[in-house]
Amino acid sequence: MNSSTRRRSGGGFTISPARLARAEKEFRQQFPSQAVYAQFLQIEANGSPQVMREKIRRSLLIENFLKSEVETKASVSTAEARAYYDKNPKSFAHGESFNIQTISIIPPQNASPEVQKEARKRAEDALRQAKATKSYREFGLLAEKLSDDDWHVNMGDRKQVEREKLPPPLVEAAIKMKPGEVSDLLQFGTNYTLFRLNGLTPAGKAEFSAVKAKIVTDLQKSRTEGLRAELHKRLRKNAKVEVL
């Protein structure tokens, strides 16, 4: 850009000699040796330290400009986040969910009657041991040892699962249980499952405190994208380019 537009495009900012020197030093430290830096300087700035210094200064001005025109304006206050939360209640509503650990015994497909009988025996033995557990950890260690499902590597912990994603027989059993209790054996086709209920979350709306951080992040991201797009259009329309 030419001298007449430099101040306007820099947003009225100036770069102190100390900051410029520090930035230049940090830039040079990226190179493994002085020889490599000299080669880069020759290619990118015709060997001129002054030209490179000006490039670094412009980069700092642009950084300040973007911070002023984008980052600062894109910030989201708690009041703004709360207003968004209040205006979009459906976005924060959730259905009933269950926090469970499972142990599943899964025989091979097309298993013979003998194999299926053995799977039933394994499932009944797993149920007996599970009923004797007294804690999340005890049940989890048993799940890691006995379960055939994908969650056995995580102590059988399925975390929070929405009601709609669980089979009805499991939901029917869960709503009759108290946290910490172990279900009876459930059969789904040739598979057997039992579970420990760790908690039940009723349908409702997430508290603002629980979603505030995500709202702020999402709104800032949206604003930043919009401001950058608008700034890009404005600069393309008004900027003058100086070729060094």
Side-chain angles (χ1 to χ4, degrees):
M1 66 186 73
N2 62 27
S3 59
S4 66
T5 61
R6 182 173 298 156
R7 181 174 177 81
R8 184 179 64 195
S9 297
F13 293 103
T14 59
I15 304 300
S16 70
R19 186 184 178 198
L20 180 59
R22 185 169 62 253
E24 187 175 9
K25 180 180 179 180
E26 291 173 353
F27 180 73
R28 293 182 64 171
Q29 288 175 343
Q30 299 178 56
F31 298 87
S33 68
Q34 178 60 33
V36 174
Y37 177 69
Q39 183 180 22
F40 174 85
L41 192 67
Q42 184 62 45
I43 294 173
E44 297 295 330
N46 297 320
S48 171
Q50 290 77 17
V51 171
M52 181 54 64
R53 188 173 298 112
E54 176 62 14
K55 286 178 178 287
I56 294 172
R57 188 186 72 83
R58 289 187 178 189
S59 177
L60 293 173
L61 283 171
I62 291 172
E63 180 182 325
N64 281 349
F65 183 56
L66 288 176
K67 185 174 183 179
S68 172
E69 294 295 311
V70 177
E71 291 182 25
T72 301
K73 293 181 180 179
S75 63
V76 176
S77 68
T78 297
E80 289 172 321
R82 181 75 202 204
Y84 181 87
Y85 173 83
D86 292 338
K87 290 179 180 178
N88 298 274
K90 292 184 179 180
S91 298
F92 307 103
H94 58 78
E96 187 177 35
S97 61
F98 300 87
N99 190 318
I100 61 174
Q101 290 168 278
T102 58
I103 295 176
S104 298
I105 304 302
I106 306 174
Q109 287 187 338
N110 302 316
S112 66
E114 291 77 13
V115 172
Q116 292 179 12
K117 184 177 180 180
E118 178 61 28
R120 175 76 190 192
K121 182 179 179 181
R122 284 179 56 209
E124 291 174 346
D125 184 58
L127 176 64
R128 177 183 58 77
Q129 295 182 64
K131 289 285 189 179
T133 61
K134 303 299 183 183
S135 67
Y136 169 94
R137 176 177 172 78
E138 287 183 10
F139 187 97
L141 292 175
L142 187 65
E144 290 188 345
K145 179 181 178 182
L146 302 179
S147 185
D148 298 327
D149 64 31
D150 294 338
W151 294 274
H152 77 277
V153 295
N154 295 319
M155 301 189 76
D157 196 343
R158 301 280 296 273
K159 304 296 183 183
Q160 289 285 105
V161 186
E162 295 176 1
R163 178 177 184 144
E164 293 74 15
K165 296 181 180 180
L166 292 170
L170 192 151
V171 172
E172 291 173 10
I175 59 179
K176 299 175 183 178
M177 296 166 57
K178 297 178 180 179
E181 291 184 340
V182 175
S183 73
D184 292 327
L185 201 60
L186 302 173
Q187 183 172 357
F188 302 100
T190 59
N191 300 340
Y192 298 93
T193 295
L194 60 103
F195 66 94
R196 183 179 196 270
L197 179 67
N198 293 320
L200 186 155
T201 302
K205 181 181 177 183
E207 294 292 335
F208 175 67
S209 59
V211 296
K212 174 186 171 182
K214 186 176 187 306
I215 293 175
V216 169
T217 297
D218 290 347
L219 290 180
Q220 284 181 339
K221 180 180 179 181
S222 177
R223 286 186 182 181
T224 296
E225 292 174 351
L227 287 167
R228 283 186 175 276
E230 179 60 31
L231 180 60
H232 180 69
K233 291 180 181 179
R234 181 151 48 96
L235 291 178
R236 284 179 62 87
K237 180 179 180 181
N238 299 325
K240 296 180 181 180
V241 178
E242 175 189 14
V243 179
L244 297 177

